Amino acid sequence: MPIFYDPQTKLFRLDTKTSSYAFMVYEENYLVHLYYGPRVTDQDLQPLMYRGWYDSLSPRNPQVSDPRFTLDVIPQECPGTSTGDFRISAAEARNAAGNTVTDLRYVGHSITPGKPALPGLPATFAQEGQAQTLEIEMADPLTGLKAFLLYTVFENHGAMARSVRFENAGGQPLDLERAYSLCLELPTMDYDMIHMYGRWAKENTVVRHPLQHGLQAIQSKRGMTSPNHNPFVALARQDSGEEYGQVIGVNLVYSGNFAMEIEVDTPGCPRLLAGINPSTFRWRLAPGESFQAPEAVMVFSEEGLGAMSRDFHKLYLDHLSRSQWTKKKRPILINDWEAAVFDFDDQLLVEFAQEAAKLGVEMLVMDDGWFGARNNDRAGLGDWQVNEQKLKGGLSHLIERVNAAGLKFGIWYEPEMVNPDSGLYRAHPDWIIQAPGRNKSLSRNQCVLDMTRQEVRDNIFQQMYDVISQNKIDYIKWDCNRHITEAGNAVLPPERQGEFFHRYVLGVYELMDRVTTAFPHILLENCSSGGARFDPGMLYYSPQIWTSDCTDPIERLTIQFGASLCYPPASMGAHVSASSRTGFATKGNVALMGSHGFELDPRKLTEEEKAIAKAQVADYHKYYDLTHYGDLYRLTDPAVDPFVCDWQFVSPDKKEVLFTRVVMRRPENLYQVRRLRGLDPEKVYVDEETGRKYSGALLMHAGLDLSQPWPGPADGSSVLKHFTAE
Ligand code: DGJ
């Protein structure tokens, strides 16, 4: 099994197929981090255990026999506060005396097969034999604060999950002010930090920059993950790239205020923390109470970012996304939003369904605007009753007609929100998030319901239940279109107001859990003004997430490539829409990288477009397994190469390959060759279109010739090539 403990040396070693992670219990029960990198043995680690750390100004614990031992520079697994370690701390509790000294020492450990669930939180899961879990108990003897560090090793995925449960085993209340999920220590700063920033309709812009001495961080204080920063960071050795070199990816399984901070100290050693953002967090732990921090996932790759991504993809498909639809073929859908916005009725939707059926589409999704007085974005949110002026004869009657056209039916919700102009708000104006005496900011004319409150969640659940249980609904799009301001809570006492943001996220998870448990057959697609809540927490409940409100295929390339750093292509909602100048065929080829759908008025397609749309539906089915469960290879970087964007899927048995090229701008050179990756060099691959045969070795080492005669490929054109092994 992958977790080893040597009682002689008190060394822990956690092995995956690609990595070893090691730490030890030092004198005075300090939990000292030793190593994270390519596989090593205990023997290899011996010299690390006795290396000296020293600085003349560094405080030291006189009980430790080695005079060079100082927490000032020592790497730790769960560094506390004000004990001589002056770097960013992973744990901090304000005690009854009012100070925040937090001194956690090792007490004991246990190793168990599988993985326990984290109460109230989404997290990776595993059965016995698929993973092994180490629980380390640490305690602060003065205050009684305990920290239980949970390490789960997914040996075959090159991945580890880490979380922390805090417990107040003392007799006085404690205020937890920092409760990070993961602390990762590295010995040198020759790493680049890679992360994704963005905004609405431009999510997942990947940036890469060298680590600097001092602090560097990404965060959200918006209540939700946000499009501004994704809770993902990779630390990549400076000589690493897409295919080569060492990379560590860290992703937080959380959908609220997060922080990922890296401090490089004076000697040049990076410390990375990932967890709940401490700047909007304070949690009162009464004696006997405990607090579960969310989980962080780490993947180590020695073969660059590409291998790291593929390990994340497999891990999330096998051990995070719990919906039955993760591994079950999903219907190809059409969504009415971009074509109709709020201006639709039952007749229009039936016509959409009938036209879409001719293309082979399998599900109609009725987006925003079907409920209450929702004719624009100024009213109706919170009133989840069918608007029968729009849907004449009611929802069941509409669904019957959509089903009669041969399509399943999906529906849109934004459960966390309310418009001031709504029945719900008029009945319960106190249910919104607000702070006494403060302005009530509006965003998209709406307020956020206080999801920490049981009666609020019960009301929304009941409203949803009434509609879903009485109608034949196969799919829900769960939207979330604003962030939280004036964060106050009417129920929590003042000393617990710091708990609000995390309690909000727990409330959302509870409601999502209730809906998906009550209706397990439903395919849930998360959304937040596009991809503003595209995170592993949401992936736990919904196997696909709407990637962006930008459906322009050229723009989508950087958005989808960014998301693919850690999220499986199968999880990316990707639609062919009418809103761009780029050719219809290319739109389909880009949508085929994710979970393909349509978002247009099918009645308005030309005959030529209809023929292409039918072919796209056929491609969706033909390549479903390859694009949903195959290995993704990013062959170019659309943010770097201005001309072409190439990627490739390879089936797990390497017998099938789908290569896609999108020409963003006509390349200046007509000679174009691309080396493919991940093939079997021994196999002979047949190009389905031309019948030409190539050995895998040739395609990988000499490349595929994509040259075209003058004037070369047009801007916005694309190439799709399918190879099968003989
Ligand atoms: C934002 C989403 O991203 C869109 O797809 C659409 O559902 C609108 N909200 C509806 O208000």
Side-chain angles (χ1 to χ4, degrees):
M1 285 309 271
I3 299 178
F4 306 91
Y5 174 65
D6 180 345
Q8 230 67 55
T9 53
K10 297 190 176 168
L11 177 86
F12 291 94
R13 204 183 80 239
L14 285 60
D15 282 352
T16 74
K17 64 172 186 189
T18 53
S19 63
S20 295
Y21 184 97
F23 54 93
M24 68 176 293
V25 183
Y26 195 74
E27 273 182 58
E28 292 299 308
N29 292 322
Y30 288 111
L31 204 57
V32 174
H33 175 84
L34 295 177
Y35 178 82
Y36 188 35
R39 289 275 295 246
V40 288
T41 61
D42 281 7
Q43 195 61 32
D44 298 325
L45 292 165
Q46 289 305 312
L48 280 179
M49 296 174 58
Y50 303 104
R51 84 179 167 187
W53 298 277
Y54 186 70
D55 188 307
S56 59
L57 279 181
S58 297
R60 57 174 302 270
N61 179 349
Q63 266 104 53
V64 176
S65 61
D66 186 342
R68 299 167 305 166
F69 181 92
T70 167
L71 293 182
D72 201 1
V73 288
I74 275 180
Q76 298 194 67
E77 283 302 301
C78 189
T81 303
S82 197
T83 52
D85 181 335
F86 300 100
R87 293 161 290 180
I88 45 178
S89 71
E92 182 172 310
R94 194 171 293 278
N95 55 39
N99 68 62
T100 57
V101 181
T102 307
D103 190 358
L104 293 165
R105 311 281 181 93
Y106 170 86
V107 175
H109 74 270
S110 61
I111 298 174
T112 48
K115 180 173 192 292
L118 303 188
L121 285 167
T124 54
F125 48 80
Q127 309 300 325
E128 244 183 270
Q130 296 177 323
Q132 202 181 18
T133 298
L134 165 68
E135 184 176 274
I136 299 271
E137 181 181 343
M138 300 183 82
D140 181 335
L142 189 73
T143 61
L145 178 70
K146 287 190 171 191
F148 296 88
L149 319 184
L150 216 64
Y151 302 80
T152 298
V153 181
F154 294 91
E155 196 176 3
N156 297 329
H157 293 78
M160 275 174 47
R162 187 20 234 257
S163 63
V164 185
R165 187 176 81 255
F166 293 92
E167 202 177 286
N168 184 353
Q172 300 287 329
L174 295 168
D175 284 315
L176 210 46
E177 296 188 354
R178 292 169 76 84
Y180 273 100
S181 305
L182 168 78
C183 173
L184 173 65
E185 308 264 23
L186 293 164
T188 58
M189 61 184 288
D190 54 346
Y191 287 88
D192 288 334
M193 176 180 178
I194 299 174
H195 57 101
M196 297 178 239
Y197 81 98
R199 59 160 168 77
W200 173 74
K202 188 69 187 148
E203 299 86 349
N204 309 326
T205 308
V206 178
V207 279
R208 176 173 184 153
H209 48 81
L211 288 182
Q212 308 283 350
H213 278 97
L215 271 173
Q216 40 251 286
I218 54 166
Q219 65 164 354
S220 169
K221 298 204 304 189
R222 293 165 181 267
M224 292 86 185
T225 328
S226 92
N228 303 68
H229 294 286
N230 198 279
F232 168 82
V233 161
L235 289 175
R237 291 289 282 274
Q238 281 167 354
D239 58 1
S240 69
E242 181 67 21
E243 278 182 275
Y244 307 107
Q246 293 180 13
V247 183
I248 298 166
V250 179
N251 201 193
L252 190 68
V253 188
Y254 194 55
S255 311
N257 289 353
F258 70 90
M260 298 177 97
E261 299 184 74
I262 302 172
E263 181 172 8
V264 181
D265 65 1
T266 304
C269 302
R271 167 178 289 173
L272 181 152
L273 300 179
I276 294 177
N277 193 334
S279 70
T280 52
F281 172 81
R282 199 183 63 247
W283 195 278
R284 169 60 56 102
L285 271 185
E289 283 183 352
S290 62
F291 175 81
Q292 177 64 59
E295 173 171 289
V297 174
M298 275 199 300
V299 167
F300 178 85
S301 155
E302 268 206 279
E303 290 168 27
L305 287 161
M308 174 203 74
S309 298
R310 288 186 288 278
D311 270 341
F312 269 116
H313 299 168
K314 282 190 208 121
L315 180 79
Y316 287 174
L317 292 179
D318 292 348
H319 296 287
L320 177 67
S321 186
R322 70 171 189 177
S323 161
Q324 55 173 269
W325 287 102
T326 306
K327 295 281 178 76
K328 190 165 138 185
K329 183 131 183 259
R330 299 174 217 155
I332 186 162
L333 65 83
I334 184 163
N335 177 302
D336 72 352
W337 176 249
E338 279 199 25
V341 191
F342 293 106
D343 192 13
F344 64 86
D345 61 9
D346 56 311
Q347 188 50 34
L348 185 81
L349 294 176
V350 171
E351 284 173 29
F352 269 38
Q354 287 165 344
E355 277 303 312
K358 294 180 196 159
L359 308 174
V361 171
E362 296 163 307
M363 181 158 70
L364 175 80
V365 176
M366 176 176 68
D367 209 281
D368 195 353
W370 58 268
F371 51 89
R374 185 78 168 165
N375 298 311
N376 51 53
D377 66 15
R378 294 189 296 280
L381 287 175
D383 298 341
W384 301 106
Q385 299 91 39
V386 178
N387 178 339
E388 295 209 9
Q389 271 153 7
K390 270 189 185 178
L391 307 184
K392 289 166 224 69
L395 187 56
S396 296
H397 183 50
L398 167 65
I399 296 176
E400 275 161 25
R401 285 181 289 162
V402 170
N403 289 165
L407 273 72
K408 293 175 183 295
F409 186 81
I411 197 167
W412 179 95
Y413 276 100
E414 194 175 4
E416 298 150 74
M417 302 293 161
V418 65
N419 287 115
D421 186 359
S422 67
L424 185 74
Y425 185 90
R426 282 185 280 276
H428 302 285
D430 58 313
W431 279 7
I432 64 162
I433 295 170
Q434 53 191 317
R438 299 288 176 191
N439 190 27
K440 296 182 189 58
S441 299
L442 288 176
S443 175
R444 209 191 187 210
N445 307 302
Q446 64 199 52
C447 303
V448 189
L449 287 168
D450 190 340
M451 285 296 171
T452 70
R453 295 170 64 173
Q454 188 70 51
E455 69 273 35
V456 177
R457 297 197 300 272
D458 286 349
N459 177 292
I460 298 299
F461 177 76
Q462 197 55 51
Q463 290 198 58
M464 293 177 79
Y465 187 87
D466 290 346
V467 173
I468 302 166
S469 61
Q470 287 161 28
N471 292 282
K472 203 163 165 286
I473 290 170
D474 296 296
Y475 161 110
I476 292 175
K477 179 172 172 186
W478 184 309
D479 208 342
C480 169
N481 289 305
R482 74 156 284 182
H483 296 146
I484 295 174
T485 56
E486 292 88 30
N489 178 282
V491 182
L492 293 166
E495 69 276 13
R496 285 193 178 267
Q497 288 288 317
E499 300 174 17
F500 164 71
F501 274 109
H502 182 61
R503 285 189 184 275
Y504 179 85
V505 180
L506 293 179
V508 173
Y509 288 151
E510 195 232 59
L511 186 58
M512 228 168 252
D513 185 56
R514 252 166 113 179
V515 172
T516 50
T517 305
F519 305 104
H521 72 282
I522 282 201
L523 166 56
L524 180 68
E525 175 157 359
N526 255 282
C527 170
S528 177
S529 303
R533 203 158 59 177
F534 203 131
D535 62 57
M538 289 294 130
L539 203 53
Y540 177 77
Y541 302 98
S542 52
Q544 68 190 48
I545 303 176
W546 182 226
T547 318
S548 177
D549 274 349
C550 174
T551 49
D552 176 281
I554 302 298
E555 290 291 315
R556 266 282 177 139
L557 294 171
T558 47
I559 296 170
Q560 293 178 183
F561 265 53
S564 79
L565 273 182
C566 54
Y567 304 112
S571 68
M572 296 179 204
H575 294 175
V576 171
S577 79
S579 66
S580 103
R581 287 151 292 143
T582 307
F584 204 78
T586 295
K587 290 176 185 174
N589 289 342
V590 173
L592 206 54
M593 181 182 177
S595 227
H596 189 310
F598 293 92
E599 185 138 351
L600 42 72
D601 183 341
R603 302 167 312 165
K604 293 188 179 155
L605 294 177
T606 63
E607 287 309 312
E608 189 193 348
E609 285 170 338
K610 281 182 189 164
I612 300 174
K614 277 188 202 163
Q616 289 170 349
V617 173
D619 281 351
Y620 171 81
H621 292 297
K622 181 172 172 186
Y623 302 128
Y624 189 90
D625 285 353
L626 198 46
T627 56
H628 283 69
Y629 315 124
D631 289 328
L632 173 73
Y633 289 83
R634 294 175 295 251
L635 303 179
T636 64
D637 179 348
V640 173
D641 184 333
F643 300 110
V644 294
C645 178
D646 295 352
W647 69 95
Q648 184 201 319
F649 285 100
V650 181
S651 62
D653 62 7
K654 296 187 185 291
K655 285 188 177 158
E656 230 188 318
V657 180
L658 186 68
F659 166 85
T660 311
R661 156 163 294 191
V662 172
V663 179
M664 298 180 289
R665 218 172 90 198
R666 187 194 309 262
E668 76 243 297
N669 194 342
L670 298 177
Y671 172 71
Q672 286 283 318
V673 168
R674 177 68 59 209
R675 287 195 181 95
L676 303 192
R677 292 185 200 148
L679 312 188
D680 181 343
E682 308 286 321
K683 284 193 171 36
V684 172
Y685 292 89
V686 185
D687 178 337
E688 185 180 301
E689 189 192 6
T690 63
R692 278 208 198 106
K693 294 182 181 180
Y694 306 88
S695 73
L698 178 111
L699 287 172
M700 289 196 291
H701 306 319
L704 175 68
D705 192 347
L706 295 149
S707 307
Q708 283 195 24
W710 175 262
D715 290 8
S717 62
S718 56
V719 175
L720 194 70
K721 278 198 166 291
H722 183 220
F723 298 89
T724 39
E726 274 186 330

